[in-house]
């Protein structure tokens, strides 16, 4: 007959836990409990034997080589992706720079939308002028003229002309400078390699524009309009 | 699967000596990693997959490992974690695989032969029911005859901690498997 109340203590003892004095004393007088304790210890041994046997297993042949191959494969793929990612990031950065540069040449249209289109025989072919040569015309304000710039848009290229490789930028032209722009565009068409300054139509790189003459400010003879010390003058004010 | 694998040295890391060191340490620990994974999954292919993945992760972190003498225990923990994650994932997907277990390499004695398939399944079922920190102690203790000291070193724990956890695991196993005798079970 088993002593049920000692069952848990027997389990503790079989598992390697401490056997209390109560159980120890009981075991001295109870063969059944001694047998039960031995059964539990044997059971534990059998459990561990099963585990040891099951886990004493060798991997399939070539596992080490396959492991190394897997490491190499994964690392090469990771580095390849890293390089692609870096290239994509660089391309995105360049695209942002170009976009920012393009946006910097744009301006919002005014409500009046004064547009000066470059028409006439001086209009270059769409494919002849490069977008980057159409720089903003320097501001040379005329007396009394408003300084509000307006947008110059080129007309669509005539039929049969080569299509532009890139969208043409809008050019800011101060009022009164449309003619200067036309002359500048004409100069580019004549000599695409050397842009000419815009200050004078006849100016060239070899003959730079002469500096403007100094404006002489005459020295005025300064005479007081009235003598503050003159009592007569004081009384008048 | 690619069997013809060139050595790591000179292929990946600019430091060839580091590659060589990793290969050497991996060679000494890869079988243990496989067995640890097998202790969770009990399927050879799955355990080998986990061992490979553990090696990949170990390689990535190898240069940042403070003490490379701890590589073995580090690889064991990686493999253990990956195996548990894989088992959880399979359970979530409802995968119930009842493949035959791998035949042990040693010739079993008559007593070991008597511990039949049913006993094995019941034992593993009881082990799988243990909490994780107790389960790994039981599995490592059963692998390669590891003693308390080896298990403590692999887990980075004090020997006393390992001893108390092993005791608790054994106690729970005895409670779950009160009557497993000679290949048949009686409750």
């Amino acid at each position: 007959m088993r002593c049920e109340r000692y069952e848990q203590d027997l389990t503790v003892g079989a598992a390697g836990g401490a056997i209390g004095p109560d159980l120890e004393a009981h075991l001295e007088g109870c063969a059944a409990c001694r047998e039960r304790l031995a059964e539990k210890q044997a059971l534990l041994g059998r459990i561990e034997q099963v585990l040891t046997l099951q886990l004493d297993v060798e991997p399939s042949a070539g596992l080490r080589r396959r492991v190394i191959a897997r490491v190499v494969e994964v690392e090469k793929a990771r580095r390849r992706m890293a390089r692609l990612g870096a290239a994509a990031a660089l391309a995105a950065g360049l695209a942002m720079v170009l976009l920012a540069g393009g946006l910097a040449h744009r301006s919002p249209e005014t409500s009046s939308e004064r547009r000066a289109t470059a028409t006439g025989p001086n209009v270059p072919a769409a494919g002849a002028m490069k977008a980057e040569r159409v720089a903003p015309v320097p501001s040379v304000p005329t007396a009394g003229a408003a300084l509000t710039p307006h947008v110059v848009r080129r007309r669509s290229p005539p039929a049969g002309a080569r299509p532009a490789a890139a969208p043409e930028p809008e050019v800011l032209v101060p009022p009164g400078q449309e003619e200067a722009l036309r002359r500048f565009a004409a100069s580019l068409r004549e000599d695409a390699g050397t842009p000419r300054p815009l200050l004078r139509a006849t100016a060239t790189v070899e003959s730079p524009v002469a500096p403007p003459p100094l404006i002489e400010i005459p020295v005025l003879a300064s005479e007081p309009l009235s003598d503050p010390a003159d009592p007569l003058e004081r009384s008048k004010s | 699967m690619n069997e013809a694998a060139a050595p790591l040295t000179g292929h990946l890391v600019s430091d060839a000596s580091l590659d060589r060191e990793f290969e050497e340490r991996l060679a000494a620990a890869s079988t243990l990693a496989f067995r640890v994974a097998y202790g969770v999954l009990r399927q050879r292919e799955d355990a080998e997959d986990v061992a490979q993945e553990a090696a990949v992760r170990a390689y990535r972190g190898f240069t940042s490992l403070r003490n490379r003498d701890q590589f073995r225990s580090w690889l064991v923990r990686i493999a253990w974690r990956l195996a548990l994650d894989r088992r959880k994932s399979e359970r979530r997907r409802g995968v119930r695989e009842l493949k035959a277990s791998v035949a042990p390499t040693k010739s079993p004695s008559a007593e070991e032969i008597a511990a039949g398939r049913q006993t094995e399944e019941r034992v593993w079922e009881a082990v799988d029911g243990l909490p994780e920190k107790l389960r790994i102690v039981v599995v490592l203790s059963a692998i390669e005859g590891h003693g308390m000291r080896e298990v403590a070193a692999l887990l980075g724990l004090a020997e006393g901690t390992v001893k108390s956890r092993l005791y608790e695991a054994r106690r729970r196993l005895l409670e779950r498997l009160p009557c497993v005798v000679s290949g048949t079970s009686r409750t």
Side-chain angles (χ1 to χ4, degrees), chain A residues 209-232:
Chain A
V209 177
L214 294 176
I215 301 175
E216 293 185 0
I217 303 175
V219 177
L220 300 177
S222 59
E223 294 178 358
L225 296 177
S226 62
D227 185 2
D230 188 351
L232 185 59

Side-chain angles (χ1 to χ4, degrees), chain A residues 17-48:
Chain A
I19 295 178
D22 187 28
L23 176 61
E24 192 172 350
H26 176 77
L27 286 173
E28 287 180 1
C30 181
C33 284
R34 286 198 300 271
E35 185 180 342
R36 183 66 181 147
L37 178 62
E39 282 179 3
K40 286 181 179 290
Q41 288 169 335
L43 174 59
L44 188 61
R46 204 166 299 123
I47 291 171
E48 292 179 342

Side-chain angles (χ1 to χ4, degrees), chain B residues 37 51 58-59 61 66 81 100 145 149 156 158:
Chain B
Y59 184 77
R66 287 184 187 177
R81 176 53 50 197
R149 184 174 296 178

Side-chain angles (χ1 to χ4, degrees), chain B residues 118-167:
Chain B
Q118 192 175 9
T119 301
E120 293 168 3
E121 287 178 0
R122 291 199 61 189
V123 168
W124 279 114
E125 190 179 331
V127 170
D128 289 345
L130 293 173
E132 184 184 321
K133 61 180 181 180
L134 302 184
R135 188 173 164 191
I136 189 171
V137 169
V138 169
V139 169
L140 288 177
S141 297
I143 293 177
E144 299 174 4
H146 288 142
M148 294 277 188
R149 184 174 296 178
E150 287 84 4
V151 174
L154 286 172
L155 295 177
L157 299 172
E159 281 190 49
T161 305
V162 172
K163 186 177 179 181
S164 66
R165 290 186 183 181
L166 197 55
Y167 154 74

Side-chain angles (χ1 to χ4, degrees), chain A residues 159-172:
Chain A
R162 285 181 296 158
E168 297 177 342
E170 296 176 353
V171 179
L172 294 177

